[in-house]
Amino acid sequence: MSGNTATREFPVATEHNRTTRDALLAPGRAARVLGLKRSEFDLAVHLGRIRTAPDDGGGGGRVTRDEIERIRSADGFPETLRAGIRTVGTTEGAALIEVTRARFTRLARLGLLVPVKFYLNRYRAVVWLYLADEVEQFARDERNVPLLKGRTPEGLRDQLAEGLDLRPRNWRGRYLGFLLRQAHDPWARAAAVASLLDGVEVAEVVSDPYERSHLHRFRPVRPSPGSSGSSGAQLAEEIMTAADPDEIEWLRADLADAVAAAREQRPAPRPDPRTVSAPARHEPPPSETEESGRLRGLLGRLWRRDPAA
């Protein structure tokens, strides 16, 4: 264990908002204090290993000094913390449990290994990452031995042949858990569920435009590799949007329940009817008025020319 990292003390703070015990640390500073890379810190937060608190200034999740001390006082810090957030790709994960890359991929497609992150490589191919600790736990379970050696059972082979791939769906489920842990408002919880649905699905569930607008205010920013509109961003958008009918169905049900709960606790704001003026009487545009006058004049002249008049 690295004694230097484990025993490092907080520097003396001179700012007023850091003089109290429960002062909030920005994510970057909290990561440095814990001896983590920023990506490691973000994953630890994602997994609930580091608890964050809302920032009253609107700066996103921050970390209290008490939380930092709780983590640093745990047995085996920082090695245990780092081991718990270590990720592996397909090649490293397969080597970890002594199976082929193809078998590892099959296990992941079947939903037996759940990805925790993904990114797009330079060829715009999706690279899934898994927690090394979870991969090792799967291999240690005696019930999984038949899946690690020999032929994959026939029923599972049939599902794979039909194109089954639960990696995106399982990642979405895990990501939703992260969003819900970070949501400190009932509308933010509803927005977390809505973020995994297509906009059309959201509009069908939340028919009130004022509620939809309020929901949009709390919508979490989706992680998007690449610039907006790029092929990478489009692919990430597909991964982050529910696709299976049963998944969509339960997300719609969860969204309806979440919006109902948010509405009961604090209805969405809407215009005060006392301040909304009555709509002005519609006046035809000048061109329309002039056209109507010319038409009446023409009809009048025709009427005067009628011999029967």
Side-chain angles (χ1 to χ4, degrees):
M1 181 173 67
S2 172
N4 292 337
T5 303
T7 59
R8 181 171 48 183
E9 299 298 332
F10 292 110
V12 177
T14 57
E15 297 90 335
H16 174 71
N17 65 343
R18 292 180 180 173
T19 57
T20 60
R21 184 174 179 78
D22 60 344
L24 300 177
L25 278 69
R29 183 163 183 261
R32 291 193 298 273
V33 169
L34 292 173
L36 298 175
K37 298 177 183 177
R38 180 56 191 270
S39 59
E40 293 175 327
F41 173 86
D42 290 342
L43 180 57
V45 172
H46 185 127
L47 296 171
R49 310 286 171 82
I50 299 175
R51 299 189 296 257
T52 60
D55 180 12
D56 294 337
R62 298 196 171 218
V63 185
T64 65
R65 291 176 179 269
D66 284 344
E67 176 66 2
I68 294 291
E69 292 178 5
R70 180 191 71 82
I71 296 168
R72 290 177 49 166
S73 63
D75 292 340
F77 175 85
E79 283 77 9
T80 302
L81 176 61
R82 289 204 186 98
I85 57 177
R86 177 190 166 206
T87 59
V88 292
T90 299
T91 300
E92 191 176 359
L96 196 62
I97 57 176
E98 300 180 346
V99 298
T100 64
R101 294 179 73 256
R103 185 180 292 271
F104 188 95
T105 299
R106 288 197 296 270
L107 294 172
R109 286 179 57 192
L110 289 166
L112 301 174
L113 297 172
V114 180
V116 70
K117 290 176 65 176
F118 76 90
Y119 68 91
L120 304 183
N121 64 17
R122 59 178 177 174
Y123 304 108
R124 289 292 181 258
V126 180
V127 177
W128 296 102
L129 297 177
Y130 309 82
L131 286 176
D133 194 32
E134 290 184 353
V135 172
E136 291 177 317
Q137 287 179 24
F138 177 84
R140 286 195 297 265
D141 192 330
E142 293 183 358
R143 294 170 297 179
N144 297 326
V145 171
L147 297 171
L148 297 173
K149 301 184 182 299
R151 287 176 59 83
T152 302
E154 183 177 356
L156 298 181
R157 289 204 310 270
D158 292 341
Q159 293 181 53
L160 292 170
E162 293 171 0
L164 177 69
D165 188 351
L166 295 178
R167 288 174 296 182
R169 176 171 179 165
N170 283 343
W171 177 85
R172 287 192 293 269
R174 192 162 214 166
Y175 183 62
L176 178 58
F178 161 67
L179 294 177
L180 291 174
R181 283 194 299 273
Q182 299 301 302
H184 303 285
D185 181 279
W187 285 101
R189 289 190 285 274
V193 179
S195 70
L196 299 183
L197 286 168
D198 181 87
V200 174
E201 301 287 350
V202 175
E204 289 180 356
V205 176
V206 188
S207 57
D208 186 289
Y210 295 107
E211 290 185 339
R212 280 203 309 276
S213 176
H214 194 54
L215 197 66
H216 187 72
R217 288 182 52 205
F218 292 90
R219 187 179 179 89
V221 178
R222 287 180 166 184
S224 179
S227 57
S228 178
S230 66
S231 59
Q234 292 172 1
L235 180 55
E237 189 77 11
E238 291 177 10
I239 292 173
M240 289 182 276
T241 303
D244 301 326
D246 60 327
E247 180 188 11
I248 293 172
E249 183 178 354
W250 69 256
L251 281 173
R252 284 173 59 111
D254 281 359
L255 176 59
D257 291 343
V259 170
R263 183 190 302 125
E264 183 176 349
Q265 185 168 338
R266 189 180 69 252
R270 58 189 65 240
D272 188 338
R274 294 171 299 179
T275 63
V276 178
S277 58
R281 185 172 62 87
H282 174 69
E283 297 290 345
S287 59
E288 182 180 335
T289 304
E290 294 169 2
E291 191 68 30
S292 300
R294 287 195 295 270
L295 180 58
R296 285 194 298 272
L298 176 59
L299 290 176
R301 290 195 295 275
L302 291 175
W303 178 261
R304 288 193 294 274
R305 292 177 184 175
D306 190 337

